[in-house]
Amino acid sequence: MPSAETSPVSVLDAKRLFAEWKAAPAVVLAVSGGPDSMALMWLAARWRHALKTGPRLLAITVDHGLRKEAAREARDVKELARALGIEHRTLRWRGEKPKTGLPAAARDARYRLLLRAASSHGASHVFTAHTRDDQAETVIMRLSRGSGIAGLAAMARQSDRGGVVLARPFLDVPKARLIATLTKAGIAFADDPTNHDPRFTRPRLRALMPVLAAEGADARGLARLASRLARANTALEVMTDGAERYLASINGAASGSFDLAAFTALSDEIRVRLLMRAIDRVGHEGPAELGKVEALLQAMDRATAGKKPGGGVQLKQTLAGALISIQNQRIHIGPAPRRGRRMAGLP
Ligand SMILES: Nc1ncnc2c1ncn2[C@@H]1O[C@H](COP(=O)(O)OP(=O)(O)OP(=O)(O)O)[C@@H](O)[C@H]1O
């Protein structure tokens, strides 16, 4: 491996990695006690010390209450934070723990706690220590689930989460460099056994990474694929904005309804995105799944293909809590009646 892939991250490198957040008022560092986030705390502290003015740093560890070692790991983070002159808090996930989908529920709870803590401490950003290796694993995970372009674009370097920005300064940094950084600095870190537990999907896919790398699909290539797809996704979203404006301009003021002929003339990718946006705006069952929106588009095309313009209902279907219908040469998308509720006046 070339040394650029394994060399410790220097203070100068850290200055470049964190440069764009110099003017933030305060930043929350999400520190689990694992190698990546311990390196995040160490490097962010050194970066901050070298600045005259810069953000206040607050490290937060979430104890999910799932492993007995977690409390000790949180104390180890606190100890390093104190040595580095950084404030630290441990937050506990107290909610009900589900029997299935535990990693996803823990992640949701973790982000909720981190973002809430950021808001209450006046922090504009939450930094996580996701690395290029995490990005590559995410690509493989999304690939195995059949994601589309948006999903394969994987994690964004920055994303707005209700007023607080979630930022990943190490998204292009190999994990090996962070471990080398800690080794050089003599900093110990925790090894979470869940990261190797074959009962969970991510560790199973992680175990495949060396095999894929040996075939040429290494973390660098997979992360590059993600960033190319992120670029394509941004362009497609801009085109979808344009298509929305075009349909609104020929629509008059009617929202939630499109002219059928104008919609049909657009490309499939843009039509899928338009449907998804319209459904997500009014649906009450969470985001529509890509595969289901694609099936809806096919059903719409079948219902209207070769038909003379008429006044009848050509299609009526619900998806993700939205009701989609084609009538009078228009597509209508509105909220679906909620399930399990009796309509007034009906038995
Ligand atoms: N319990 C936690 N408390 C605070 N932040 C966390 C916690 N778990 C994860 N994170 C944040 O999310 C990022 C990605 O999580 P992931 O589970 O992939 O990492 P990890 O295995 O816990 O360890 P590492 O610190 O080496 O990344 C971490 O780098 C860290 O910034």
Side-chain angles (χ1 to χ4, degrees), residues 59-140:
I60 291 187
T61 305
V62 176
D63 181 347
H64 301 95
L66 298 172
R67 291 184 302 115
K68 60 178 183 341
E69 303 79 17
R72 188 186 41 72
E73 288 165 13
R75 280 198 300 276
D76 291 344
V77 177
K78 189 178 276 303
E79 200 174 299
L80 179 64
R82 191 180 297 129
L84 295 171
I86 293 181
E87 265 180 87
H88 176 266
R89 300 258 190 296
T90 300
L91 304 177
R92 284 180 187 80
W93 178 29
R94 297 186 195 280
E96 183 109 351
K97 314 289 190 294
K99 293 245 162 23
T100 57
L102 189 58
R107 194 184 54 236
D108 287 352
R110 180 161 75 236
Y111 282 121
R112 220 177 21 252
L113 288 166
L114 290 165
L115 293 167
R116 202 192 297 152
S119 294
S120 64
H121 286 89
S124 50
H125 293 75
V126 171
F127 285 1
T128 64
H130 288 101
T131 63
R132 195 178 72 181
D133 301 70
D134 297 318
Q135 183 74 324
E137 281 168 25
T138 304
V139 171
I140 295 296

